[in-house]
Amino acid sequence: QYALKKIKLTDQSTETAAGFKDEIALLNRLRGRDNIIQLVDSEVDEASGLIHMVLECGDIDLAHLLAKKKGKNGRQEID
């Protein structure tokens, strides 16, 4: 299964837009590593102001994982 991430650059600050482009570069560098969601394909269309990213679907998202691991005292438990 795959997920499509669609980002409107026109709604983002210059710094945020650059961050999304950096995310693509980072995922390309991490391609093939275990425990990293894989970037299948991406397109940055400056003319339309859109970024499309096709990613593999993960079993769990980071927010859910962190909430699950949160300790009783409200602090993050580290394994």
Side-chain angles (χ1 to χ4, degrees):
Q1 288 186 340
Y2 298 98
L4 175 63
K5 185 174 184 177
K6 182 177 177 181
I7 301 119
K8 289 175 111 175
L9 295 176
T10 54
D11 296 342
Q12 310 297 329
S13 69
T14 303
E15 294 82 16
T16 302
F20 285 116
K21 293 173 187 176
D22 289 344
E23 179 183 1
I24 292 170
L26 180 61
L27 287 170
N28 279 322
R29 285 196 307 269
L30 295 173
R31 184 168 280 160
R33 298 206 182 188
D34 290 340
N35 300 321
I36 300 293
I37 296 293
Q38 297 300 299
L39 177 66
V40 177
D41 198 9
S42 65
E43 173 186 55
V44 179
D45 187 346
E46 301 283 353
S48 66
L50 292 172
I51 293 177
H52 293 100
M53 298 169 65
V54 179
L55 303 133
E56 69 177 351
C57 282
D59 295 329
I60 190 169
D61 66 37
L62 181 59
H64 184 239
L65 179 65
L66 292 175
K68 182 178 169 185
K69 288 188 162 273
K70 196 170 194 180
K72 292 178 185 173
N73 62 4
R75 293 185 182 188
Q76 186 67 35
E77 292 178 359
I78 299 175
D79 295 332

